[in-house]
Amino acid sequence: MAFNENDDDDYLMLSGIQHFQFCKRQWALIHIEQQWEENVRTVEGQHLHRKAGEARG
């Protein structure tokens, strides 16, 4: 298989590395089985990240 710099599948997501380090089961559920559901905490986290990015300009 040849490397294609435009193919995102050739790269590891940083969030995936963090999930794998924290909990291999969590990583598998999210990145292999693609079983992710938003909840109050994830929505709040997205909102906080967006606000932090806006504050930096």
Side-chain angles (χ1 to χ4, degrees), residues 30-41:
I30 295 170
H31 298 279
I32 301 295
E33 298 177 24
Q34 297 182 349
Q35 297 203 18
W36 174 262
E37 290 186 25
E38 297 289 346
N39 61 36
V40 171
R41 291 183 181 195

Side-chain angles (χ1 to χ4, degrees), residues 8-51:
D8 288 342
D9 291 337
D10 288 335
Y11 295 95
L12 294 173
M13 294 187 340
L14 290 176
S15 63
I17 296 169
Q18 184 273 329
H19 287 132
F20 187 83
Q21 178 66 29
F22 176 74
C23 175
K24 290 173 180 61
R25 179 66 180 143
Q26 180 190 63
W27 170 79
L29 284 170
I30 295 170
H31 298 279
I32 301 295
E33 298 177 24
Q34 297 182 349
Q35 297 203 18
W36 174 262
E37 290 186 25
E38 297 289 346
N39 61 36
V40 171
R41 291 183 181 195
T42 59
V43 172
E44 288 174 348
Q46 291 171 359
H47 178 70
L48 291 172
H49 279 268
R50 193 170 25 256
K51 284 179 61 177

